[in-house]
Amino acid sequence: MEHVLSLADRHLDSLMRQIATRDAIELIHPFAEVETLAALAYVAECYGFRYEGVQLIGKQRIVHVHLFRDPSPAARQRAAANSAAFPDPGHGRPVPGMYLGSLTPVPEAQADVDLLAALIRYGALSAAGNRKQLLTLGWASAALFLLLAVVTGKYVVLLPLAVVMPLGMLGALRVNTARRAKLAAQLTAAGCTPVRDEETGRERFVRPVPYGV
């Protein structure tokens, strides 16, 4: 009977193919939890990659996690050591930092996976919390509802919506800002440094050199 791969096995197989063939990795798992993405990023870093950031793509705002191959001597040493210790990683075989057949971190890897999860959450919130974009959307929606109210005469239904939309966007911004502030404090306490992305203008955090071999 054909062996059915678990979801963790499929994620790991896809990751290991990228590690073997690419210098830049993109993790795209629409229904995966942040912890799963962080565990995959941890495994990639064990093989010489380094977390770079996230993007939210498409109408569903799906999280894309980006990593690149780190050329530093420490990263190459880490990759060589893990390649020797785990020469054939994949389904049914062990990978660094995870319990066999899962993406559940072993205790010694948990803190690093948690830190990667915080970095991913912060990056996703920063991408989602574009103040100018959200306010533009809120006011544009309000103007549309006002126009529809005038055209259709359904003021009782549409005028409240014209008020609620920009208020909703402002509320979303406040929640986003509060969540980012909490994560920023956690990342700063962990030794991460805030930097401004020149291309997007968004703030992100860069942590110290990843865990050792």
Side-chain angles (χ1 to χ4, degrees):
M1 184 174 65
E2 183 180 355
H3 177 64
V4 178
L5 297 182
S6 70
L7 186 59
D9 286 335
R10 292 198 295 271
H11 286 336
L12 284 168
D13 281 357
S14 173
L15 174 65
M16 298 315 299
R17 284 195 296 271
Q18 291 195 71
I19 288 173
T21 60
R22 303 182 185 180
D23 290 328
I25 287 177
E26 188 175 34
L27 302 177
I28 313 168
H29 301 296
F31 304 108
E33 297 181 352
V34 168
E35 287 76 12
T36 297
L37 295 171
L40 290 168
Y42 175 95
V43 174
E45 290 201 334
C46 287
Y47 288 96
F49 285 77
R50 185 165 171 80
Y51 170 81
E52 182 177 23
V54 304
Q55 286 181 297
L56 300 182
I57 304 295
K59 293 182 180 180
Q60 302 301 320
R61 309 296 279 166
I62 295 172
V63 175
H64 291 223
V65 178
H66 296 278
L67 301 99
F68 64 92
R69 195 178 297 278
D70 188 345
S72 71
R76 291 199 298 268
Q77 181 185 6
R78 183 170 66 250
N82 282 299
S83 294
F86 304 91
D88 189 24
H91 63 271
R93 298 178 298 278
V95 297
M98 303 294 139
Y99 285 108
L100 183 63
S102 78
L103 285 169
T104 301
V106 297
E108 54 267 31
Q110 188 67 61
D112 291 303
V113 174
D114 288 344
L115 183 55
L116 281 164
L119 286 165
I120 292 170
R121 285 194 176 92
Y122 187 89
L125 286 171
S126 294
N130 186 318
R131 182 178 180 84
K132 182 178 179 180
Q133 185 180 51
L134 286 176
L135 290 180
T136 298
L137 179 60
W139 290 117
S141 300
L144 176 61
F145 285 123
L146 284 173
L147 177 61
L148 289 173
V150 172
V151 171
T152 64
K154 296 181 179 180
Y155 293 99
V156 174
V157 175
L158 295 172
L159 285 181
L161 291 175
V163 174
V164 166
M165 287 302 295
L167 290 178
M169 293 300 175
L170 285 172
L173 279 172
R174 291 194 190 97
V175 171
N176 182 291
T177 299
R179 289 177 177 173
R180 277 191 290 136
K182 184 176 180 180
L183 284 168
Q186 177 184 344
L187 292 168
T188 300
C192 301
T193 304
V195 297
R196 184 71 59 180
D197 191 300
E198 294 182 3
E199 183 177 343
T200 64
R202 295 196 301 263
E203 185 179 74
R204 62 187 180 91
F205 277 82
V206 176
R207 75 191 191 291
V209 175
Y211 31 86
V213 174

